[in-house]
Amino acid sequence: MNIYDISKLAGVSTATVSRVINGFDNVKPATREKVLSIIASQGYTPNAFARGLGLNSMKTIGIMCADSSDMYLAKAVYYIEGALRENGYHCILTCTGYERKSQRESMEMLMSQHVDCIILAGSIFIDKDDSNNKYIYKAADSVPIMLLNANLDHKNIYCISCDDSAAMEKATEFLLDNKRNNILYLYNSNSYSATKKLSGYRKAFEKRGLKCNEDYIRYFNGTSKDLEKVCGFVTELADKGLKFNGVVASEDFLAVGALKYAVRKGIKVPKDLEIIGYNNSVLTVCTEPELSSVDNQLETLCTNLVRICIGALSGESMPQKTVFNGELIHRSTSASSRKTK
Amino acid sequence: MNIYDISKLAGVSTATVSRVINGFDNVKPATREKVLSIIASQGYTPNAFARGLGLNSMKTIGIMCADSSDMYLAKAVYYIEGALRENGYHCILTCTGYERKSQRESMEMLMSQHVDCIILAGSIFIDKDDSNNKYIYKAADSVPIMLLNANLDHKNIYCISCDDSAAMEKATEFLLDNKRNNILYLYNSNSYSATKKLSGYRKAFEKRGLKCNEDYIRYFNGTSKDLEKVCGFVTELADKGLKFNGVVASEDFLAVGALKYAVRKGIKVPKDLEIIGYNNSVLTVCTEPELSSVDNQLETLCTNLVRICIGALSGESMPQKTVFNGELIHRSTSASSRKTK
């Protein structure tokens, strides 16, 4: 039901409907009553309805993120909120946690607030079983949906991401080029972007006709709060006889944990072990030696997400897929200047 | 102007005003028109007005923070948003930056959204010149204002903080007890809580009748992104002849920078230098050795802030000052088990 439906049912012009909704008084009382009662029969208050029609938009955009205290997501929220505010929008933030049920509830809450658009920050919201993505498709029937670092093919859904697969492939290739063939791969998620990263690791081996040994692909069951556990996890792998001369990790904290293991064991980094993290977070510069890491251009992603969002809200035709490249940042845990060695 | 004024002007009961505002149809058209026109004459749309009266609260709370990508503030936003959501509220987040002007604008934006309450996360919003705090007092005339880690004496303003002075005093005392009398104090802000921390450092010396040498109190002009600069800053102080056997810092990243200096120079930590940070952030466990730090109980602060906020919104009498104690967390940069040495 839109403004045209209302005007038809009430037998008045759309301009009159708009005047009623916006509370202007140049409308006959009887006409106003009629329009209001038709709107009310839909279970809306006039104002909420007006916002739903975009006539009297509250200029509000919903942001869903699993955990705004996660460093990467916190930065994403910061960049997105700032860019939206510059464009005259403000944002309602919900931290959904990692359960599908609470994610659906957050989406419903935002829809009930008649936000102009919903931004899903992070790939955690997308399920591999597409039937679990219906709550997103349903929302996309009403408002544009923006996905950061995720992918869904659907009308009114716009995806902005880093090519995590290519970036991880580049990091892995860098180590393979230095004859580091035993590369431990650490990851802690099976989300869309985590899956892409792992596929990049495998591709680097395949491209060189090398066998990718599954023993070297290790899932760590924990979060960034568990740094000490990561160190223990890597130590245990080494103690059990796994030999590795390289580590790539899907998140910086996993690489920091691996570096802890090396520092405590007195292993020379990068001479005997090279380590590369992912996200280029502040953690990379806390450690000694400082950690090399893949920068997935979060600020660029967020700025462009907001640009596309604003365009879509203005009715412009915007691209549904936008992909940027990651960049490998060399610090002291990768042998970046090999020629001088 | 409130619902009683409207009912007087319209010559109807407050119940009738409420029915009109909430869009119920058991009101005579003429009465409805009259009430709406009185509300409109005040320049409100019925719904915004209703929210302003709390009759039809949007259950929205505004959160202002300088920079939601700051790790400490990101955690605060996370805890606050989660606790509010559990209580049926959602939050509009604005990242204001560090300029007073943009902070005032954010406040105005939130007020124009008719939020039920505004939470100021961090002490950066409070000015030492009280005339610059008028924008907060003005907002407090309309809605409760919650201050996290800050203090203002005013009606409808509720302050929840950690006793940063006592916590920093405890950390400094701990080093003095171990005959570390040359304690470098690093800080990077003059905010309310930063000032409290510095006063705690001074108090620890005074209490022991020791002179607090101002040469050891050093302001670092930079943010948490400037870790390498902190290391350079401390190195320069040492190179210029400043002798110190202890470091306490107002933020963890400053302590991490000092630790970098020690690791690079081969100084034994904690044997020849003890270092204590503040905030107990994830940075503390990235380093080797891991950093001792003051935990200022952020989660407890945030949970209680929301509890008091919800109480105040329900019209209960709530305390205007709530203060918690910080806790010194020993890791590997302080000699915590001295008896065994």
Side-chain angles (χ1 to χ4, degrees):
Chain A
M1 176 122 157
N2 60 31
I3 193 165
Y4 301 103
D5 300 324
I6 305 277
S7 82
K8 257 185 239 163
L9 285 169
V12 300
S13 70
T14 53
T16 303
V17 176
S18 169
R19 279 199 296 276
V20 171
I21 287 167
N22 285 295
F24 298 140
D25 52 14
N26 53 348
V27 183
K28 282 183 209 156
T31 306
R32 179 189 300 270
E33 275 301 300
K34 196 170 182 183
V35 170
L36 288 174
S37 73
I38 287 167
I39 292 172
S41 71
Q42 305 297 316
Y44 290 109
T45 62
N47 243 40
F49 185 76
R51 272 181 275 129
L53 290 176
L55 284 176
N56 186 12
S57 158
M58 297 289 276
K59 291 271 205 177
T60 304
I61 286 175
I63 302 181
M64 284 168 62
C65 82
D67 172 354
S68 69
S69 76
D70 171 276
M71 241 181 292
Y72 184 80
L73 294 175
K75 270 195 174 175
V77 168
Y78 174 73
Y79 293 134
I80 291 171
E81 193 276 338
L84 284 176
R85 192 152 30 82
E86 272 178 23
N87 282 282
Y89 286 84
H90 56 270
C91 62
I92 297 185
L93 171 72
T94 65
C95 308
T96 64
Y98 294 91
E99 307 267 317
R100 196 66 66 209
K101 183 168 169 283
S102 68
Q103 293 171 350
R104 272 197 303 266
E105 284 168 2
S106 289
M107 181 75 95
E108 278 161 23
M109 183 281 282
L110 289 175
M111 291 302 293
S112 78
Q113 294 302 316
H114 298 271
V115 293
D116 296 311
C117 165
I118 293 176
I119 297 171
L120 305 186
S123 54
I124 199 79
F125 300 103
I126 314 299
D127 208 296
K128 272 165 200 159
D129 175 357
D130 198 45
S131 69
N132 288 330
N133 295 325
K134 274 185 196 156
Y135 75 111
I136 303 176
Y137 299 142
K138 197 180 153 211
D141 287 343
S142 305
V143 294
I145 304 287
M146 314 298 300
L147 303 186
L148 175 68
N149 279 329
N151 190 49
L152 276 181
D153 286 307
H154 196 274
K155 198 177 163 234
N156 219 17
I157 296 184
Y158 300 86
C159 309
I160 292 87
S161 60
C162 170
D163 189 340
D164 290 313
S165 175
M168 188 58 94
E169 187 182 335
K170 215 192 288 182
T172 310
E173 271 179 346
F174 180 84
L175 298 187
L176 289 173
D177 281 347
N178 197 24
K179 304 222 164 45
R180 309 284 186 192
N181 284 11
N182 297 320
I183 305 173
L184 179 60
Y185 183 85
L186 296 174
Y187 69 114
N188 76 323
S189 161
N190 287 303
S191 71
Y192 172 77
S193 73
T195 309
K196 296 293 257 183
K197 290 174 196 170
L198 180 51
S199 78
Y201 170 82
R202 292 188 199 279
K203 262 189 212 161
F205 284 87
E206 284 160 19
K207 261 198 183 171
R208 279 163 173 68
L210 294 169
K211 197 176 163 287
C212 172
N213 186 338
E214 294 298 314
D215 263 7
Y216 283 84
I217 299 173
R218 295 292 183 150
Y219 176 80
F220 172 76
N221 186 12
T223 71
S224 59
K225 282 131 200 140
D226 303 317
L227 259 176
E228 192 61 37
K229 272 196 211 165
V230 178
C231 176
F233 181 75
V234 175
T235 307
E236 206 182 307
L237 290 176
D239 287 349
K240 281 185 178 163
L242 195 75
K243 305 261 180 233
F244 49 91
N245 47 21
V247 176
V248 286
S250 68
E251 302 280 340
D252 281 333
F253 84 94
L254 295 166
V256 171
L259 180 57
K260 259 181 193 296
Y261 147 80
V263 170
R264 289 185 189 172
K265 292 279 182 185
I267 296 165
K268 282 183 188 142
V269 176
K271 189 173 166 288
D272 296 327
L273 179 64
E274 294 190 47
I275 305 174
I276 300 177
Y278 206 101
N279 279 348
N280 198 27
S281 69
V282 66
L283 303 190
T284 61
V285 289
C286 286
T287 59
E288 280 292 321
E290 295 183 356
L291 193 69
S292 301
S293 184
V294 173
D295 189 325
N296 64 358
Q297 313 282 3
L298 183 58
E299 186 167 4
T300 305
L301 296 183
C302 292
T303 314
N304 278 278
L305 182 146
V306 170
R307 184 181 57 76
I308 291 166
C309 169
I310 302 295
L313 286 173
S314 325
E316 287 173 48
S317 171
M318 301 305 282
Q320 288 199 266
K321 307 268 174 239
T322 310
V323 180
F324 291 87
N325 286 326
E327 194 187 346
L328 180 53
I329 308 289
H330 288 290
R331 293 199 181 82
S332 307
T333 61
S334 59
S336 60
S337 48
R338 285 179 180 146
K339 280 173 190 166
T340 64
K341 293 209 142 199
Chain B
M1 174 121 159
N2 60 32
I3 192 166
Y4 300 103
D5 300 324
I6 305 277
S7 82
K8 258 186 238 163
L9 286 169
V12 299
S13 70
T14 53
T16 302
V17 176
S18 169
R19 278 200 295 276
V20 171
I21 288 168
N22 285 294
F24 297 140
D25 51 13
N26 52 348
V27 182
K28 281 183 209 157
T31 308
R32 179 188 302 270
E33 275 301 301
K34 196 169 181 184
V35 171
L36 287 174
S37 73
I38 287 166
I39 293 172
S41 71
Q42 306 297 317
Y44 290 109
T45 63
N47 243 41
F49 184 77
R51 270 181 278 131
L53 290 176
L55 284 176
N56 186 13
S57 157
M58 298 289 275
K59 290 270 202 177
T60 304
I61 286 174
I63 302 180
M64 285 169 62
C65 82
D67 173 354
S68 69
S69 77
D70 171 277
M71 241 180 293
Y72 184 80
L73 294 175
K75 270 195 173 177
V77 169
Y78 174 74
Y79 292 134
I80 291 171
E81 193 276 338
L84 285 175
R85 192 153 30 84
E86 271 178 24
N87 282 283
Y89 286 83
H90 56 271
C91 62
I92 297 185
L93 171 73
T94 65
C95 308
T96 64
Y98 294 91
E99 306 268 317
R100 196 66 67 209
K101 183 167 169 283
S102 67
Q103 293 172 349
R104 271 198 303 266
E105 284 168 2
S106 289
M107 181 74 96
E108 278 161 23
M109 183 281 282
L110 289 175
M111 291 303 293
S112 77
Q113 294 302 315
H114 298 272
V115 292
D116 296 311
C117 165
I118 294 176
I119 297 169
L120 306 186
S123 54
I124 199 80
F125 301 102
I126 314 300
D127 207 295
K128 272 165 201 160
D129 176 356
D130 198 46
S131 69
N132 288 329
N133 295 325
K134 273 185 197 156
Y135 77 109
I136 303 176
Y137 299 142
K138 196 180 155 213
D141 287 342
S142 306
V143 294
I145 303 288
M146 314 297 302
L147 303 186
L148 175 68
N149 279 329
N151 191 49
L152 277 182
D153 286 306
H154 197 274
K155 199 176 163 234
N156 218 20
I157 296 185
Y158 300 86
C159 309
I160 292 87
S161 59
C162 170
D163 190 340
D164 290 314
S165 174
M168 188 58 95
E169 187 181 336
K170 214 192 289 183
T172 310
E173 272 179 347
F174 180 85
L175 297 188
L176 290 173
D177 281 347
N178 197 24
K179 306 223 163 44
R180 309 284 186 192
N181 283 11
N182 297 321
I183 305 173
L184 178 60
Y185 183 85
L186 297 173
Y187 69 113
N188 76 322
S189 160
N190 288 304
S191 71
Y192 172 76
S193 74
T195 309
K196 296 293 258 184
K197 290 175 197 170
L198 180 50
S199 77
Y201 169 82
R202 292 188 199 278
K203 263 188 213 161
F205 285 87
E206 285 161 19
K207 262 199 182 171
R208 279 165 173 66
L210 294 169
K211 198 174 162 288
C212 172
N213 186 337
E214 294 297 315
D215 264 5
Y216 283 83
I217 299 172
R218 294 292 182 150
Y219 177 80
F220 172 77
N221 187 10
T223 71
S224 59
K225 282 131 200 140
D226 303 318
L227 260 175
E228 192 61 38
K229 271 196 210 163
V230 179
C231 177
F233 181 75
V234 175
T235 307
E236 206 182 308
L237 291 175
D239 288 350
K240 282 185 177 161
L242 194 75
K243 304 260 179 234
F244 49 90
N245 47 22
V247 176
V248 286
S250 68
E251 303 280 340
D252 281 332
F253 84 94
L254 295 165
V256 172
L259 180 57
K260 260 182 193 296
Y261 148 80
V263 170
R264 289 184 189 172
K265 292 279 182 184
I267 296 166
K268 282 185 187 138
V269 176
K271 189 173 166 288
D272 296 327
L273 180 64
E274 294 189 47
I275 305 175
I276 300 177
Y278 206 100
N279 280 348
N280 199 27
S281 69
V282 66
L283 302 191
T284 60
V285 289
C286 286
T287 59
E288 280 291 321
E290 295 184 353
L291 192 68
S292 301
S293 184
V294 174
D295 188 326
N296 64 358
Q297 314 282 2
L298 183 59
E299 186 167 3
T300 303
L301 297 183
C302 292
T303 313
N304 277 279
L305 181 146
V306 170
R307 183 180 59 76
I308 291 166
C309 169
I310 302 295
L313 287 172
S314 324
E316 288 172 48
S317 172
M318 301 307 281
Q320 288 200 265
K321 307 266 175 241
T322 309
V323 180
F324 291 87
N325 286 326
E327 195 188 345
L328 178 53
I329 309 289
H330 287 290
R331 293 198 182 82
S332 308
T333 60
S334 58
S336 60
S337 47
R338 284 180 180 145
K339 282 174 189 164
T340 65
K341 294 206 144 205

